């Protein structure tokens, strides 16, 4: 088994109503929850999975989510804590293109970029109810142009340096680093499985399950495209957890996140 390491990059916090976090379940009321990205260091290179939210974008487009983000919680700031710079990242993989997973993509024009083949066309022509989720379009000149939002692009971004390699189904990014196709939250959503030399595998649900409660009770988030696919994806993750005795990490769970390793404290 390869010598992999996983670092969680703390990206700050946002607020949603409980009925949005736990769709049709609640309880309602404001919940402040964490956002993080995942750096996987492997002998084959450094893979960054998701890039957090852009503070200014959230203030402009979704101020009701009350973003909080220190300098150290931006992507460059979180990498700096590890002694790294954006140029040290070889591959950026987006689990999906919601604004709180793509906000830092603009820092990686040099990196290879990968996503599911249906995420780009969906972000470019999304359903009305998905528009707030797919609201930060600075990750792709093609998508920003399609949505009439070229003002979200950064100087120097081109079609060539915002191009994505497209994948489908389960894919092994590197030895022991596996993308698990878990649609439902979005059309092309992925979860992440990482295996190690000396510890249990990590299964990162990403937005297939925001919280442990979501996962334990098959509760989708309010943001979704196909709730039936969503619950089936959660059941598939539970089967993988059982088969591999994996440790499961959730994407937006304030209670669980308090016990996760962040910053320089890695899994591996
Ligand atoms: Zn999402």
């Amino acid at each position: 088994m390869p010598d992999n390491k996983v670092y969680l990059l703390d990206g700050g916090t946002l607020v949603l109503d409980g009925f949005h976090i736990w769709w049709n379940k609640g309880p309602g009321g404001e919940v402040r929850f964490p956002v993080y990205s995942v750096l996987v260091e492997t002998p084959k290179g450094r893979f960054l999975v998701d890039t957090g939210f852009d503070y200014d974008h959230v203030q402009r487009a979704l101020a009701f989510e009350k973003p909080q983000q220190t300098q150290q919680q931006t992507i460059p700031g979180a990498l700096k804590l590890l002694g790294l710079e954006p140029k040290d990242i070889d591959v950026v993989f987006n689990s999906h293109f919601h604004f709180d997973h793509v906000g830092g993509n603009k820092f990686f024009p040099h990196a290879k970029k990968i996503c599911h083949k249906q995420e780009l066309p969906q972000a470019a022509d999304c359903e009305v109810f998905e528009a707030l989720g797919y609201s930060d379009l600075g990750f792709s000149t093609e998508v920003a142009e399609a949505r009439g939002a070229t003002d979200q692009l950064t100087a120097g971004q081109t079609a060539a340096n915002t191009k994505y390699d497209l994948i489908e189904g389960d894919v092994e990014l590197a030895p022991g680093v596996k993308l698990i196709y878990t649609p439902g939250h979005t059309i092309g959503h992925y979860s992440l499985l990482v295996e190690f030399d000396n510890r249990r595998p990590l299964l990162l649900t990403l937005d297939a399950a925001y919280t442990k409660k979501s996962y334990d009770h098959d509760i989708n988030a309010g943001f979704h495209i196909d709730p039936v696919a969503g619950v089936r994806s959660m059941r598939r993750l539970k089967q993988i957890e059982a088969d591999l005795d994996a440790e499961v990490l959730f994407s937006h769970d304030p209670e669980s996140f308090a016990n996760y390793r962040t910053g320089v404290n890695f899994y591996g």
Side-chain angles (χ1 to χ4, degrees), residues 50 95-101 133-134 185-186 189 206-208 210 221 223-224 251-252:
D50 294 339
S95 64
H96 62 304
F97 286 135
H98 281 169
F99 71 91
D100 53 328
H101 297 257
Y134 292 122
H185 179 67
T186 67
H189 185 275
L206 302 173
D207 280 3
Y210 278 9
F223 284 104
H224 59 247
S251 59
H252 297 305

Side-chain angles (χ1 to χ4, degrees), residues 187-210:
I187 198 161
H189 185 275
Y190 276 103
S191 302
L192 174 68
L193 175 71
V194 184
E195 296 172 292
F196 304 90
D197 274 334
N198 298 314
R199 77 179 312 283
R200 297 163 68 195
L202 277 187
L203 181 59
L204 295 106
T205 62
L206 302 173
D207 280 3
Y210 278 9

Side-chain angles (χ1 to χ4, degrees), residues 137-146 150 153 157-163:
L137 308 176
F139 61 90
S140 162
T141 59
E142 178 192 330
V143 173
E145 282 163 16
T150 51
L153 296 171
Q157 283 189 303
T158 64
N161 69 23
T162 61
K163 186 179 182 316

